[in-house]
Amino acid sequence: MKLPVYLYGHPVLRAACEPVKEDYPELKKLVADMYETMYASDGVGLAAPQIGRNITMVVIDADPVAETFPECKGRKMTVINPELEILDGEKVSRAEGCLSLPGISEDVKRVEHIRLKWFDEDFQPHEEEISGFLARIVQHELDHLDGHLYIDHISPLRKQFIRGKLHNIMEGKTRCEYPARYAPKKRR
Ligand code: NI
């Protein structure tokens, strides 16, 4: 089942996330729904807050960008209760987008090498060193679990430049290609 994607301005994107417990109700159904939602909106990653759940879980399928970034070939991963370690201090700038910020793309500086520990949807533990664009996707998605968005990393000047677009998303004036949930209207 496709789920609506919560858009910029909705408080669920800024709230703290709780770890996922093994008895979380209908976890596998939720994971399947998150993949379906991500594929339907042409994303390569989706974090639980983006579908309105403040739990530490993301889904990633980076295979669609494998032609440009070979390290992404066949990389489909359900990441539950992750621990991220930065392995390389040198940052590289690349364009990012986010399903919660339709119509916007900005360059973001991130490191290229990380170590990730996580559990999959069967609660099997994994640990791996990850590099390149896949490391970027992981960092972007895990940011969501801390209530951060990629635009938090851009310069004040760039932020000023996209202010109008951000405002339109918040006001529900942005057309979205996929089912979306806009921020609640402010009381006046
Ligand atoms: Ni995102």
Side-chain angles (χ1 to χ4, degrees), residues 69-90:
F69 306 106
E71 66 275 19
C72 292
K73 182 86 191 146
R75 294 313 304 261
K76 179 177 175 178
M77 47 208 281
T78 305
V79 177
I80 293 174
N81 300 345
E83 281 178 50
L84 174 71
E85 187 188 337
I86 302 294
L87 295 180
D88 181 336
E90 198 186 333

Side-chain angles (χ1 to χ4, degrees), residues 41-87:
S41 46
D42 289 327
V44 292
L46 185 70
Q50 294 182 276
I51 47 96
R53 308 251 191 148
N54 284 120
I55 54 172
T56 54
M57 177 161 87
V58 312
V59 298
I60 291 170
D61 190 341
D63 194 64
V65 297
E67 213 163 283
T68 317
F69 306 106
E71 66 275 19
C72 292
K73 182 86 191 146
R75 294 313 304 261
K76 179 177 175 178
M77 47 208 281
T78 305
V79 177
I80 293 174
N81 300 345
E83 281 178 50
L84 174 71
E85 187 188 337
I86 302 294
L87 295 180

Side-chain angles (χ1 to χ4, degrees), residues 4-173:
V5 175
Y6 286 64
L7 298 187
Y8 178 74
H10 200 291
V12 77
L13 295 175
R14 296 303 197 176
C17 288
E18 296 281 329
V20 184
K21 298 204 178 86
E22 285 194 48
D23 61 354
Y24 192 89
E26 298 193 70
L27 182 67
K28 293 220 168 155
K29 163 109 173 73
L30 178 61
V31 169
D33 287 349
M34 283 178 68
Y35 278 112
E36 190 181 339
T37 303
M38 180 181 75
Y39 292 134
S41 46
D42 289 327
V44 292
L46 185 70
Q50 294 182 276
I51 47 96
R53 308 251 191 148
N54 284 120
I55 54 172
T56 54
M57 177 161 87
V58 312
V59 298
I60 291 170
D61 190 341
D63 194 64
V65 297
E67 213 163 283
T68 317
F69 306 106
E71 66 275 19
C72 292
K73 182 86 191 146
R75 294 313 304 261
K76 179 177 175 178
M77 47 208 281
T78 305
V79 177
I80 293 174
N81 300 345
E83 281 178 50
L84 174 71
E85 187 188 337
I86 302 294
L87 295 180
D88 181 336
E90 198 186 333
K91 290 186 174 179
V92 176
S93 193
R94 264 192 201 287
E96 293 187 19
C98 180
L99 296 177
S100 296
L101 292 151
I104 298 176
S105 175
E106 289 289 322
D107 282 349
V108 181
K109 280 185 184 170
R110 295 191 193 270
V111 300
E112 294 241 286
H113 303 287
I114 59 170
R115 178 179 289 123
L116 185 67
K117 289 184 192 176
W118 76 101
F119 295 88
D120 62 26
E121 63 199 86
D122 297 313
F123 275 88
Q124 295 303 303
H126 298 263
E127 181 171 354
E128 192 185 329
E129 287 187 15
I130 296 173
S131 298
F133 198 72
L134 187 59
R136 174 176 297 272
I137 296 171
V138 168
Q139 289 171 80
H140 175 117
E141 297 310 328
L142 265 53
D143 263 359
H144 280 294
L145 306 182
D146 292 323
H148 297 147
L149 299 169
Y150 79 88
I151 54 164
D152 301 343
H153 300 297
I154 68 176
S155 71
L157 186 69
R158 288 305 307 171
K159 190 121 188 214
Q160 183 69 20
F161 191 75
I162 61 169
R163 207 173 58 150
K165 285 183 178 177
L166 291 175
H167 181 79
N168 283 342
I169 298 172
M170 268 195 294
E171 292 290 311
K173 291 176 186 160

